[in-house]
Structure formats: C-alpha cells, structure tokens
Amino acid sequence: MKLGIRKKLKFVVCRINLFRFSLRKRLLGFEFANILLNRLDKDSVQLILRKNGATIGSNCDIESGQTFHNCRDYSNLVVGDHCHIGKNCFFDLRNKVIIGNNVTVSMECGFITHMDVGKSRLSKEYPSRNLPIAIEANVYLGARAIVLMGCCLHSDSIVAAGALVTKDVPQATIVAGIPAQVKTKL
C-alpha cells in the first residue's frame, strides 16, 4: 500500500513542478523558467524536458542539477534508450546534442556546441559558429569530460574522466587527456 501512495505522491510533485515551470515560462520567459530546472528532482526534470521539446528514450535516468544554456526550448536534446546522465552536467543547446542508446554520461560533463568570441576584434578571424555533437551507442564518458562542437563519439568508446574531446573519437577506443587522444583500442 505504501508503494502506491509514494508513486502517486511522486506523480503529483512532478505535475506541480511542471506547472511551476510553465507558469514561470509564460510570465517571465524561458530563461527564468530554465533556472528552476537546475533545482528540481530527476523525475520532474525528465517530465519538463519532454514537455518542452526534448526527445528522451525509454528507461533513462537523468539526474538532477542539469544546466541548459543557449536554448528557447529543449528540442536540440535527443537522448536514446537506456541512458544515464549524471548530476550537474552542462548542455549548450545552441545546436543538437544527440546521445545514442546505452550511453553513460558521468557527473559534471559538458557539451559545448558553439564558439562565439563576441564583440572582440577576434570575431573577424574567428566568426561565430555552431555544430552538433553526436554520441553513438554504448559510449561511456567519465566525470568532468568535456565534448566540443562538431565531435562524434563513435560506438563502444570510452572517454576518460577530465578529458577534453576536440575531435571525433574512433569506434571501440579509450581516449584520455587534454586534448583527448587515443590511449588504447578495445
């Protein structure tokens, strides 16, 4: 009997948080509502992401504390089936972040899809640009790994903790370092 009550209570809390998010979005804009998402429980986060454009597969575990940047909705986030996204990850959604099936993203990972030097004189040499990030099936990202725009992490690869991925990661390899380099083939 307790299990049924707990499940119902979780459902109610998620709906209340969805309402709070929607109300903030309507009254104060998406950016203000987006800030709320960082402080909600993982069940509410997943519901709000789905209701606001994200594609999330079945049996996914998206922890709390996520930060989403450069977005007006979450339509640039695509997560496959059976994925885990750890606490406090950073998603720059200026362009797509596509995560395949059976991917584990450890805590505090970052996904940067754009570069913009702003109004600096460097903007003539380095114009603003953005590219998607693709993570294929069965990939593992260690804690605090950062993936930069345009990179593809091919299937069955491992990115070590703290690595900075600046180019594609070949299939069935382990990469580590800053910048990430192939350490071994699996």
Side-chain angles (χ1 to χ4, degrees):
M1 193 78 162
K2 281 186 178 180
L3 199 59
I5 292 172
R6 185 175 183 169
K7 193 173 182 177
K8 288 177 185 175
L9 184 59
K10 261 183 158 179
F11 177 83
V12 169
V13 168
C14 287
R15 296 295 176 202
I16 289 170
N17 285 332
L18 176 61
F19 175 75
R20 289 174 57 208
F21 181 90
S22 299
L23 186 62
R24 282 177 177 229
K25 184 170 94 171
R26 185 176 179 102
L27 296 176
L28 302 167
F30 184 81
E31 191 62 37
F32 191 77
N34 191 32
I35 294 166
L36 174 68
L37 197 66
N38 190 279
R39 299 188 315 254
L40 297 178
D41 65 283
K42 65 184 186 176
D43 295 320
S44 296
V45 168
Q46 223 175 114
L47 176 65
I48 290 167
L49 289 173
R50 281 189 171 117
K51 294 289 185 182
N52 287 275
T55 303
I56 300 173
S58 64
N59 197 28
C60 288
D61 182 31
I62 300 174
E63 294 292 339
S64 59
Q66 307 304 329
T67 300
F68 298 92
H69 181 60
N70 284 321
C71 54
R72 291 191 176 104
D73 62 22
Y74 304 115
S75 60
N76 277 344
L77 179 65
V78 178
V79 180
D81 298 330
H82 310 289
C83 291
H84 170 79
I85 298 175
K87 287 186 176 286
N88 303 323
C89 292
F90 179 87
F91 293 87
D92 170 12
L93 295 180
R94 173 86 48 100
N95 207 315
K96 289 226 182 255
V97 175
I98 303 167
I99 300 172
N101 296 333
N102 306 308
V103 170
T104 297
V105 176
S106 297
M107 63 186 145
E108 298 183 7
C109 287
F111 303 91
I112 312 298
T113 63
H114 86 287
M115 182 189 87
D116 188 348
V117 296
K119 296 177 182 172
S120 162
R121 283 184 277 155
L122 293 172
S123 64
K124 291 178 180 145
E125 207 169 318
Y126 300 101
S128 178
R129 46 185 226 140
N130 65 80
L131 296 166
I133 292 172
I135 302 171
E136 294 181 353
N138 304 307
V139 171
Y140 174 82
L141 281 88
R144 293 189 173 172
I146 296 174
V147 182
L148 298 184
M149 65 179 183
C151 292
C152 179
L153 284 60
H154 292 282
S155 62
D156 305 308
S157 58
I158 296 173
V159 177
L164 175 63
V165 179
T166 60
K167 61 184 179 183
D168 290 358
V169 173
Q171 182 177 3
T173 58
I174 297 175
V175 299
I178 300 174
Q181 297 179 21
V182 174
K183 298 298 178 185
T184 187
K185 296 212 179 254
L186 299 173

